[in-house]
Amino acid sequence: MRTILSFLLLALTSVVAAISTSGNRLLVVLNDVADKATYSKFFADLEEREFKITYETPKSESLNLFNLGERTYDHVLFLPVQTKGLGPNLTPKALLDFVNAKGNILLTLSANTTTPTSIVSLLSELDITLPTDRNSLVVDHFNYDITSASDKHDVLLLPAPKPVRAGIKDYFSEDAGTKLIAFPRGVGAVLGNGELLNPILRAPPTAYSYNPKEQSEVVDDLFAAGQQLSLVSTMQARNNARVTVVGSAEMLQDKWFDASVSKLNGKPVVQTFNREFAKRVSGWTFQEIGVLKVNWVEHHLEEEGMPNDSNPEMYRVKNNVSYTISLAEFAWDHWIGFNVPESDEVQLEFSMLSPFHRLNLKEESHRLAAVHYTTVFTIPDQHGIFNFKVNYKRPFLSNIEVKDKVSVRHMAHDEWPRSYAISGAWPWIAGIGATVSGFLGFVALWMYSAPVAAKKVTVKKTQ
Amino acid sequence: MRFTRALLLFAAGAAQAASSWSFDDASISVAAKKGSDAIKEKFSQKAPLTKPVGLGSTDTVKVILTAKEDGKAKRPHQAFVTIKEQETGLEAPFTLTVKDTGRAVVQISQKDLPVQFLLSPKPLKASVVIGSFGEARAINTPVFDIEIQTDPNAPAPKYDAPLRYGKKPEIHHIFRADPQSPPKVISMFFALAVAATVPALFISWLLLGANVNHLAKALGAAPLSHITFFGSIIAIEGVFFMYYTSWKLFQVLPVAGVVAVVTVLSGTKALGEVQSRRLSKER
């Protein structure tokens, strides 16, 4: 009875639990409140995921990202605005302070409006480069939608993006099937070389970006082309705040959410994947997916006959030690165990100043909201203060960095092998035995012997 | 009848085929220095070059072609020569400067290429991409390969791959070697050699006339003291043996102290008896 009750309670708490791990106050900055209607399905999806949305225009004076030092919103969504700037409350510095305070930003751009200079400078702070003339359009004469853009080729059709290299967790292309993502009239960006920047959606190799006002005849000064153009770019700061730049705001509009499109040499009619893709991109940016947590860390001595209490503060040189870390991942509204992607590993570093060991942890067992990663290893033959360090930072996953400090002492005087076990010591032990028995014999002789009569030496007279 | 029907189908197929871009009069030339004589080779959409083109450190590759839409020379919006590196898939586009007449030219030298291309072990693949707005089908055809010839005198180009998060190579600490003993045979030999000195000692004592003739007399004179004294000397050796095998220091010290007291007390008596035998000229 009690178990049934506790299970019911557990189920109830998991339903009532907060949806995003970092709050649900969402600010939407748009040009005109009437624009809400063109994105109604997207906002309805967000409200279904329990976000409390506030709609503001950049001209509104009551808009403030901070109040008395705390953030007033957890996430900000920017739709394209016609004004040159975003107002005094949304300066690039204010937005960077927002990111430093762990706020998330989802920024959308459009080829139809000139990008405000404050957004261009905000993105250049993050090493995401937009064309300097702020008016650009990505076209592709090979992968466009023939139903709606047969002449201008400005609606790109792309398959759902697979991870750019092995080992990255695939959040954006599951269950896509044959559906294509429509990218209408968007802006491509070029990402810097840093490790914090990751593209979600890259342009196909034949796409390129040009300025429709000045380069409508011929492209003389190319900004970027092919896979160097990032259509949906992300930056995850070291404090796990996320900034996503979606190159085309129009791909979030109702008319592209369940549209039918067709490619030049592809299947005749295909549905767009935009609704699900928008859900996943906003889910990643607003910390609903890709968030990791360490439940606990445990290490203990793994020697026969020795006590194995958890997390001791001292080990000895050359002890066998077992280390286990329990990881969980947030999946939309509840925590589940984190399964590391196929060719990737969670690694443990046992290090003093530099790692003495870097070991791959094996998945050991699965619990309700945890997966245990464990290994057994031998402590190096160096004494000192060591750290058990798990430093797991990957694209699209929040950072995990846990350090546990332990002392490693030398062998104690009675932990060395005994001399009778060392074959080289046998002559010396024999020597001790010889000395002892000789001494005892001498004592007995000295105390209990009678003097021997000296042989009379007869001196023969020599003649 | 059959012939005309086939002809009709063929004509219909040709008419159905969408208009498409193409290029013509295409040639590639490699000049050692700007302006000097060049090796020129022609290629076309259907006949790409079979041999790779060598590009040295001071060479310039010049590609000339005429872009055509449906056979008529026209200026396309997109005219690129895209060079792809095979190992990593990295691509670099080079825009062709196109005149109104459709004549397009581009010059590429090693300094225009990204440094990763100069370090590639395989030849680079170049393709021509021509496309524009409207119905005409765009083309993307591979046309030639480029082989980079680096200057042996100049320092090799350096490329530091940027940091990317991912798993790092495993490290296993290499332990110092355990201390080793010499082969057991040698140890046994020397142990036996040492142990052999004991019987040698006893035998030499016997040869010199060792005896325990006064044992009965001593025991008769002071039995308890002698037994206790000799016993306590053996006991001290026993304490050392226990210390060697299992006891700790503070278990040994009290016992050794007790045995020492016994030795001293019984020793005075026992050695006094020995002294008495000495004074009576028996020793």
Side-chain angles (χ1 to χ4, degrees):
Chain A
M1 187 55 204
R2 208 176 283 171
T3 47
I4 298 174
L5 216 62
S6 58
F7 269 121
L8 273 174
L9 212 62
L10 186 67
L12 194 66
T13 49
S14 64
V15 164
V16 171
I19 295 308
S20 160
T21 48
S22 65
N24 62 358
R25 299 168 299 177
L26 170 60
L27 167 68
V28 175
V29 176
L30 24 65
N31 194 32
D32 180 3
V33 186
D35 285 351
K36 258 204 305 187
T38 42
Y39 300 91
S40 63
K41 286 190 195 167
F42 181 53
F43 291 136
D45 282 348
L46 284 172
E47 280 178 354
E48 204 188 307
R49 307 208 303 266
E50 314 233 343
F51 283 99
K52 303 219 173 352
I53 311 184
T54 319
Y55 300 90
E56 298 274 6
T57 59
K59 294 190 271 299
S60 91
E61 276 130 24
S62 62
L63 176 57
N64 221 327
L65 289 176
F66 288 92
N67 181 23
L68 303 173
E70 292 286 326
R71 280 182 286 115
T72 44
Y73 300 99
D74 303 309
H75 322 284
V76 180
L77 164 57
F78 284 97
L79 293 173
V81 293
Q82 307 279 6
T83 54
K84 241 198 171 160
L86 289 170
N89 297 319
L90 296 173
T91 57
K93 181 174 182 313
L95 291 173
L96 283 177
D97 288 343
F98 185 73
V99 172
N100 283 332
K102 294 200 192 180
N104 306 306
I105 299 182
L106 175 56
L107 233 150
T108 59
L109 304 168
S110 169
N112 297 331
T113 56
T114 318
T115 320
T117 39
S118 52
I119 287 198
V120 174
S121 48
L122 168 70
L123 292 182
S124 73
E125 275 295 317
L126 305 175
D127 214 1
I128 300 175
T129 315
L130 293 180
T132 42
D133 44 10
R134 299 181 293 129
N135 234 327
S136 63
L137 173 63
V138 175
V139 292
D140 189 346
H141 302 301
F142 295 78
N143 301 305
Y144 60 93
D145 179 22
I146 29 188
T147 45
S148 63
S150 57
D151 192 41
K152 292 212 187 131
H153 303 180
D154 51 10
V155 177
L156 272 67
L157 291 180
L158 310 160
K162 293 245 173 297
V164 296
R165 53 183 182 273
I168 297 183
K169 190 128 187 172
D170 183 7
Y171 280 120
F172 304 102
S173 76
E174 261 183 80
D175 302 326
T178 50
K179 294 190 184 175
L180 296 173
I181 298 178
F183 190 79
R185 290 168 273 276
V187 173
V190 167
L191 299 181
N193 249 345
E195 66 273 14
L196 304 176
L197 294 165
N198 288 295
I200 292 180
L201 186 60
R202 298 190 295 184
T206 44
Y208 63 99
S209 165
Y210 79 104
N211 184 344
K213 289 199 176 60
E214 288 172 22
Q215 292 177 335
S216 53
E217 289 299 313
V218 74
V219 183
D220 40 9
D221 185 14
L222 186 64
F223 171 65
Q227 293 190 315
Q228 298 296 311
L229 271 176
S230 171
L231 303 178
V232 179
S233 339
T234 68
M235 199 278 299
Q236 178 172 276
R238 291 188 200 282
N239 62 359
N240 293 328
R242 293 168 173 175
V243 176
T244 306
V245 180
V246 173
S248 162
E250 210 180 316
M251 76 189 284
L252 304 175
Q253 284 184 0
D254 289 353
K255 69 173 191 273
W256 291 103
F257 261 16
D258 282 309
S260 307
V261 291
S262 58
K263 228 170 146 173
L264 199 49
N265 293 321
K267 288 165 62 136
V269 170
V270 165
Q271 297 298 316
T272 54
F273 191 53
N274 284 33
R275 187 168 201 166
E276 188 58 32
F277 186 66
K279 175 184 176 199
R280 293 190 193 167
V281 169
S282 57
W284 183 82
T285 313
F286 301 151
Q287 314 259 3
E288 294 167 86
I289 53 175
V291 180
L292 297 182
K293 170 173 85 149
V294 176
N295 291 330
W296 44 261
V297 163
E298 194 263 340
H299 54 87
H300 61 263
L301 193 60
E302 190 85 6
E303 304 252 357
E304 312 155 6
M306 304 281 281
N308 67 346
D309 33 320
S310 294
N311 298 8
E313 284 183 359
M314 180 174 291
Y315 285 110
R316 192 208 76 197
V317 176
K318 297 206 252 194
N319 272 150
N320 287 330
V321 166
S322 152
Y323 178 91
T324 309
I325 184 170
S326 168
L327 296 175
E329 176 189 2
F330 196 71
W332 296 108
D333 56 2
H334 63 287
W335 291 96
I336 57 173
F338 171 64
N339 290 311
V340 82
E342 260 310 305
S343 51
D344 194 15
E345 310 269 0
V346 182
Q347 292 178 318
L348 166 69
E349 279 182 10
F350 189 67
S351 76
M352 186 145 55
L353 298 170
S354 66
F356 281 67
H357 279 300
R358 187 184 294 128
L359 306 167
N360 296 338
L361 297 177
K362 289 180 287 294
E363 274 187 46
E364 185 208 18
S365 58
H366 297 244
R367 303 266 184 278
L368 191 54
V371 172
H372 301 168
Y373 292 89
T374 185
T375 187
V376 176
F377 66 99
T378 311
I379 292 196
D381 49 1
Q382 171 64 44
H383 68 285
I385 308 283
F386 280 83
N387 283 313
F388 286 101
K389 184 166 179 192
V390 171
N391 184 9
Y392 187 70
K393 294 185 174 120
R394 299 289 186 269
F396 306 130
L397 292 173
S398 61
N399 299 330
I400 287 185
E401 206 174 329
V402 278
K403 258 205 229 188
D404 277 304
K405 187 176 68 146
V406 286
S407 314
V408 171
R409 66 169 174 83
H410 259 314
M411 305 279 262
H413 69 288
D414 55 357
E415 286 171 337
W416 298 100
R418 296 307 311 276
S419 48
Y420 43 77
I422 301 176
S423 71
W426 292 342
W428 310 96
I429 300 175
I432 296 175
T435 312
V436 166
S437 40
F439 174 67
L440 290 178
F442 175 76
V443 165
L445 278 183
W446 187 84
M447 295 216 296
Y448 306 125
S449 60
V452 173
K455 285 212 171 87
K456 285 247 169 72
V457 180
T458 50
V459 179
K460 280 208 164 128
K461 270 202 177 147
T462 52
Q463 305 266 318
Chain B
M1 188 55 197
R2 218 180 287 148
F3 193 58
T4 48
R5 196 191 298 170
L7 207 60
L8 204 64
L9 273 171
F10 180 68
Q16 281 266 324
S19 59
S20 141
W21 285 89
S22 60
F23 63 88
D24 215 353
D25 300 330
S27 68
I28 172 174
S29 60
V30 181
K33 276 191 288 286
K34 279 244 170 75
S36 73
D37 255 358
I39 326 157
K40 215 171 179 172
E41 288 184 42
K42 284 191 189 298
F43 61 90
S44 74
Q45 216 168 324
K46 296 194 181 39
L49 289 185
T50 44
K51 280 193 315 85
V53 172
L55 178 64
S57 52
T58 53
D59 295 349
T60 310
V61 168
K62 192 168 177 182
V63 179
I64 304 178
L65 50 84
T66 308
K68 291 194 171 154
E69 186 186 6
D70 290 333
K72 285 191 353 283
K74 199 163 171 222
R75 183 159 81 169
H77 194 248
Q78 175 187 28
F80 295 163
V81 170
T82 306
I83 302 186
K84 183 172 178 168
E85 200 260 310
Q86 293 186 65
E87 282 283 309
T88 55
L90 185 66
E91 290 180 334
F94 292 93
T95 49
L96 289 154
T97 324
V98 193
K99 292 206 271 284
D100 286 328
T101 55
R103 197 93 179 113
V105 158
V106 72
Q107 296 201 359
I108 307 170
S109 61
Q110 261 194 22
K111 62 174 167 48
D112 301 324
L113 297 175
V115 70
Q116 294 96 313
F117 283 12
L118 304 177
L119 299 167
S120 169
K122 295 201 193 128
L124 309 171
K125 288 205 166 309
S127 358
V128 165
V129 181
I130 295 182
S132 196
F133 304 106
E135 294 282 332
R137 218 171 258 249
I139 51 160
N140 178 0
T141 34
V143 284
F144 54 87
D145 288 351
I146 296 183
E147 233 175 43
I148 298 286
Q149 292 152 357
T150 47
D151 183 5
N153 297 329
K158 259 171 31 80
Y159 173 61
D160 290 321
L163 168 67
R164 292 279 175 257
Y165 287 144
K167 64 177 178 183
K168 295 192 192 162
E170 269 196 310
I171 298 176
H172 295 277
H173 180 68
I174 300 171
F175 288 84
R176 278 186 281 263
D178 273 340
Q180 281 173 323
S181 287
K184 286 199 178 142
V185 183
I186 298 181
S187 304
M188 287 299 299
F189 172 73
F190 283 102
L192 290 174
V194 168
T197 58
V198 175
L201 181 70
F202 283 126
I203 291 174
S204 39
W205 276 342
L206 279 174
L207 290 177
L208 287 171
N211 59 75
V212 281
N213 294 342
H214 284 171
L215 184 59
K217 198 184 291 184
L219 282 180
L224 193 60
S225 312
H226 270 292
I227 293 172
T228 318
F229 178 62
F230 198 67
S232 66
I233 292 193
I234 296 178
I236 274 283
E237 302 291 348
V239 166
F240 290 154
F241 179 77
M242 290 309 294
Y243 189 22
Y244 177 64
T245 48
S246 63
W247 285 356
K248 299 276 195 198
L249 182 67
F250 289 109
Q251 289 168 287
V252 158
L253 288 178
V255 178
V258 165
V259 175
V261 167
V262 168
T263 310
V264 166
L265 293 178
S266 63
T268 48
K269 295 289 190 315
L271 292 174
E273 189 274 329
V274 174
Q275 186 194 40
S276 70
R277 275 190 278 129
R278 178 168 63 82
L279 291 174
S280 64
K281 298 279 197 272
E282 290 170 21
R283 283 170 64 85

